[in-house]
Amino acid sequence: LKDIHNEELTSKVGLIGSVMDYPAVNIALNREKQGLYWTSRPGPYDIWAIKFAYENGRSEEETKNLLNESTKHQLSFGNDADDMRYPGKAMDPRINVVDLTSDAIAYSIERLKLTQQIGANLIKNLKDDGSSYHKHRVSYRILLSMQKTQANTISRYIGGVYVDRAFIGQEGGTRPFTPTPIEKQKEAMRALDKYVFSPDAFTFPNEIYNYLQIQRRGFDFFRTPEDPKIHESVLYCQKSVLNHLLHKNTLQRIVDSELYGNAYKLADFMTDLNNSIFKSDIYGNVNSFRQNLQIEYTKMLIQIITDTQSNNLIHAVKSNALYNLKRINKLASNSNGDLGTKAHKTHLSLLIKNALEEVK
């Protein structure tokens, strides 16, 4: 992370291991320290692969020694079969798209801060007399998409397992499967708590929303109303993260990996997730973004305990979902908050009551 904008270094070795990676555009949070936006040369992996493919006159022993270099850090490899761009797919969080550096969580946090910084000045920076407000709409959507992408990158470290494909006895090789250290998983959970689930996550200054206008082309705005659908867009980003965290593959892997080194146990993770989504505001006013999030999360837990298609979930997962639903019901039983919040809590309680009746 400390070297990603060191142009003296990156101009020699590149920003990434291979030009076949799918990296983020490397934009600095502090523009005075901006380095290369894109890698400008083949990476270490590319040079190694080219040497393997085209070097003439190499002996069998030299070929073996060349292949044995695969455990070097700069030659790390993962392909589309291993990447984690989709919820529940694969398990090594280091194999991903639109990330950068060997500390992807910290880099993603910088990117999230960058979107907030840009969003705060969006109206001022897009002031262009004689133009429509379409740029405001497009720019807002780009920022929201960046936030979603970086939040997804962070989420993959929870329940992640590092994969090493070195052969038995190969120098530099480690165990094939090593659960992501608990410190990294906790760091990821704290980041999600702040930038994805908190009451002010994904929000921009309210005045921005007055300007998110499409430049009209045609008559029907793609058969939908013209309004910018702010809550729907934010919930879509939050659900993208929850779809991975509560995916059956992720939850089952968390439990399974406890047997071979995962110290971030399922009960601890789900308690942290529950607290992140409810604890900060359930005893006061719950804003409309959080109401959306809390209802959606509760429905996901309900689906885990009631959906007959989820019978392949191990019982520990269902037990923890049931436990946290009862916790939510207890949290929502207080009568604090404004009228909208009271209506929201009534909705939560009814959802849980009906679900519990169904599983009796």
Side-chain angles (χ1 to χ4, degrees):
L1 184 65
K2 66 183 177 64
D3 292 323
I4 197 66
H5 292 290
N6 179 352
E7 199 164 338
E8 183 181 354
L9 174 65
T10 58
S11 62
K12 295 176 182 176
V13 301
L15 297 176
I16 49 182
S18 170
V19 295
M20 295 301 289
D21 200 356
Y22 299 81
V25 185
N26 185 36
I27 303 173
L29 180 61
N30 181 350
R31 300 311 301 279
E32 294 178 1
K33 298 182 178 180
Q34 178 65 51
L36 295 176
Y37 291 101
W38 298 100
T39 200
S40 59
R41 53 166 293 129
Y45 188 95
D46 301 316
I47 294 168
W48 182 58
I50 291 166
K51 186 176 181 181
F52 174 77
Y54 297 107
E55 185 181 43
N56 289 321
R58 194 174 55 231
S59 69
E60 186 175 335
E61 184 65 21
E62 288 171 329
T63 297
K64 181 180 178 181
N65 291 337
L66 185 64
L67 291 173
N68 275 332
E69 293 181 15
S70 67
T71 54
K72 289 182 177 179
H73 173 72
Q74 65 267 32
L75 302 180
S76 298
F77 174 83
N79 63 18
D80 287 0
D82 300 319
D83 78 64
M84 296 192 74
R85 76 184 81 181
Y86 303 115
K89 180 178 182 289
M91 62 183 184
D92 191 331
R94 301 169 302 179
I95 304 172
N96 214 334
V97 297
V98 202
D99 56 356
L100 271 176
T101 85
S102 56
D103 190 353
I105 295 176
Y107 187 81
S108 290
I109 290 172
E110 282 196 2
R111 303 277 290 183
L112 290 165
K113 289 178 179 177
L114 178 63
T115 61
Q116 294 174 336
Q117 192 180 93
I118 295 170
N121 298 293
L122 198 64
I123 295 175
K124 181 181 71 174
N125 291 339
L126 294 179
K127 187 174 177 57
D128 185 11
D129 291 349
S131 297
S132 75
Y133 290 102
H134 195 81
K135 281 184 182 178
H136 294 67
R137 177 98 165 205
V138 172
S139 297
Y140 170 74
R141 302 292 294 185
I142 289 172
L143 291 176
L144 208 58
S145 177
M146 279 179 60
Q147 290 181 322
K148 170 179 170 289
T149 298
Q150 299 309 315
N152 282 338
T153 294
I154 293 168
S155 73
R156 274 38 177 182
Y157 282 82
I158 295 174
V161 174
Y162 297 161
V163 177
D164 187 338
R165 300 197 185 280
F167 287 176
I168 297 171
Q170 185 177 346
E171 185 178 349
T174 61
R175 295 174 298 183
F177 297 146
T178 302
T180 302
I182 187 172
E183 296 80 14
K184 295 300 290 184
Q185 296 192 63
K186 286 279 193 177
E187 181 187 356
M189 191 67 239
R190 288 192 298 270
L192 295 178
D193 176 49
K194 182 174 182 178
Y195 295 102
V196 180
F197 301 133
S198 70
D200 58 353
F202 288 109
T203 57
F204 296 97
N206 281 355
E207 62 176 328
I208 288 176
Y209 303 135
N210 295 89
Y211 296 90
L212 304 183
Q213 183 185 55
I214 296 175
Q215 182 176 339
R216 184 171 180 179
R217 301 290 187 192
F219 297 94
D220 60 5
F221 297 102
F222 307 101
R223 302 187 185 279
T224 62
E226 185 180 2
D227 64 280
K229 302 170 187 62
I230 300 157
H231 285 82
E232 179 183 298
S233 299
V234 169
L235 184 61
Y236 174 73
C237 297
Q238 293 170 322
K239 281 177 64 177
S240 180
V241 172
L242 287 176
N243 284 340
H244 176 73
L245 295 180
L246 297 179
H247 195 283
K248 64 178 183 180
N249 292 347
T250 306
L251 296 174
Q252 181 151 328
R253 186 166 59 249
I254 290 173
V255 179
D256 284 343
S257 61
E258 289 175 19
L259 299 174
Y260 54 93
N262 178 23
Y264 196 27
K265 298 183 181 300
L266 180 68
D268 298 330
F269 155 63
M270 293 195 72
T271 295
D272 288 345
L273 181 60
N274 227 55
N275 287 342
S276 180
I277 294 175
F278 284 96
K279 197 170 183 180
S280 65
D281 56 5
I282 197 65
Y283 292 106
N285 293 330
V286 182
N287 71 38
S288 51
F289 290 104
R290 287 273 286 189
Q291 289 180 25
N292 255 5
L293 172 63
Q294 290 174 5
I295 292 291
E296 198 64 37
Y297 168 69
T298 299
K299 285 182 175 180
M300 287 183 171
L301 292 183
I302 288 171
Q303 186 173 19
I304 288 174
I305 68 167
T306 61
D307 189 355
T308 56
Q309 299 302 312
S310 65
N311 283 335
N312 55 346
L313 282 167
I314 55 179
H315 294 305
V317 171
K318 291 191 173 186
S319 298
N320 275 276
L322 180 60
Y323 174 78
N324 280 287
L325 279 170
K326 290 190 172 183
R327 283 190 65 221
I328 294 168
N329 199 31
K330 186 174 181 180
L331 289 169
S333 65
N334 74 83
S335 58
N336 300 336
D338 56 25
L339 185 58
T341 297
K342 290 176 181 177
H344 167 62
K345 292 175 182 176
T346 301
H347 189 182
L348 281 171
S349 296
L350 182 61
L351 285 173
I352 296 170
K353 178 186 175 184
N354 289 343
L356 296 179
E357 286 290 330
E358 188 175 337
V359 296
K360 278 185 178 179

